[in-house]
Amino acid sequence: MTVPILNALSSVLPAFRMIPYPLEKGHLFYPYPICTETADRELLPMFHEVSVYPKKELPFFILFTAGLCSFTAMLALLTHQFPELMGVFAKAFLSTLFAPLNFIMEKVESILPSSLWHQLTRI
């Protein structure tokens, strides 16, 4: 049963090899060679913007994910190489991050009587 399938595949594969690969000819994209951009600039009016097909821009999410991954890898590498120093940096970062919360808690403690605060913490 597999012999006819293999024979059919062997007759089809050379046909696929005849299709030129887009980058083999030196063109960036096969149907649109680079020379068409200069011809378009000559033919179109000066105020018309020539679009270079296909202009691929990466979405923000992909750029953000790549940056976050690189940042995490750098933190892991630095933590592996310099654990004490990174511990100091982490402690300083977290204390700076929670400074507003500590400030609010100190203000609440100074406003509320200590007995009421003690009763609220026991709940």
Side-chain angles (χ1 to χ4, degrees):
M1 189 72 178
T2 60
V3 174
I5 295 172
L6 291 176
N7 288 337
L9 283 177
S10 64
S11 65
V12 172
L13 287 178
F16 282 111
R17 288 192 189 112
M18 293 174 57
I19 298 173
Y21 187 67
L23 298 178
E24 286 178 355
K25 301 280 183 182
H27 302 305
L28 188 57
F29 298 99
Y30 175 66
Y32 303 100
I34 294 174
C35 61
T36 59
E37 183 182 349
T38 56
D40 287 345
R41 288 192 192 280
E42 291 174 1
L43 294 173
L44 291 172
M46 294 300 289
F47 61 86
H48 191 279
E49 183 178 330
V50 176
S51 62
V52 181
Y53 178 81
K55 188 175 186 180
K56 185 159 178 114
E57 294 181 9
L58 290 175
F60 173 74
F61 178 73
I62 292 178
L63 295 174
F64 177 75
T65 305
L68 188 64
C69 181
S70 301
F71 179 71
T72 305
M74 184 61 70
L75 279 180
L77 179 70
L78 288 173
T79 304
H80 180 72
Q81 292 293 322
F82 311 106
E84 295 88 10
L85 184 62
M86 291 304 289
V88 170
F89 282 143
K91 191 179 291 184
F93 175 74
L94 289 176
S95 65
T96 304
L97 186 67
F98 290 116
L101 183 64
N102 289 336
F103 177 74
I104 292 171
M105 290 301 291
E106 287 175 7
K107 290 297 180 185
V108 168
E109 286 176 357
S110 67
I111 293 172
L112 291 177
S114 61
S115 62
L116 179 62
W117 184 250
H118 180 66
Q119 293 298 325
L120 288 175
T121 57
R122 290 182 58 193
I123 294 177

